[in-house]
Amino acid sequence: FVIYLAVASLGAWRGESLYRRFSGDTTWSTFVRRLAIALALFSGLGVVGLSVMPVNWYSKCAWRYCGRAMGPGLFRSPYPVGTPSCGAWMKCANEYPYSKRQYRALLRRMEAQGCEAP
């Protein structure tokens, strides 16, 4: 989200000069436009993949999804992860680098779900 805001502000600030530079028929302009289209398509594919693919909470690398399991925020991912099991919450508590505030929130979620404390 922050990256998109930065790119949008760059476009608002320098949009007209960038348009004049890259709207021509030179080889460089064509290359940059095609590269931008390819990046946009791959980004869209990534968004679809993150939204559709389920999270395997039983793998040994499931701790990567612990930040997403706490819910969306400004710097946290809004993509769904399903409902973690008690074992997954335990893995999150032991392996994911939470701040003190986030760790307390994790303990509250574990208690609300009926899981024992780590």
Side-chain angles (χ1 to χ4, degrees):
F1 176 72
V2 174
I3 292 172
Y4 287 121
L5 286 178
V7 170
S9 63
L10 175 68
W13 176 52
R14 302 278 302 186
E16 188 175 336
S17 64
L18 289 171
Y19 173 76
R20 275 186 266 126
R21 179 180 292 165
F22 295 116
S23 65
D25 287 333
T26 64
T27 304
W28 176 248
S29 297
T30 304
F31 172 74
V32 169
R33 284 194 309 268
R34 288 183 181 170
L35 179 65
I37 290 169
L39 287 174
L41 291 175
F42 283 126
S43 295
L45 200 64
V47 166
V48 169
L50 285 171
S51 298
V52 175
M53 291 179 6
V55 173
N56 182 6
W57 283 107
Y58 299 104
S59 72
K60 65 180 179 179
C61 296
W63 64 270
R64 297 178 298 177
Y65 306 108
C66 293
R68 286 173 33 188
M70 293 301 288
L74 182 59
F75 295 105
R76 286 178 282 175
S77 175
Y79 300 108
V81 292
T83 303
S85 64
C86 288
W89 283 125
M90 195 69 70
K91 190 179 297 183
C92 288
N94 291 329
E95 297 182 21
Y96 192 80
Y98 288 115
S99 67
K100 290 181 181 182
R101 183 181 59 80
Q102 291 172 326
Y103 191 75
R104 285 192 299 269
L106 170 74
L107 293 177
R108 284 192 300 273
R109 281 184 178 231
M110 288 177 73
E111 183 179 333
Q113 193 169 327
C115 304
E116 60 184 58

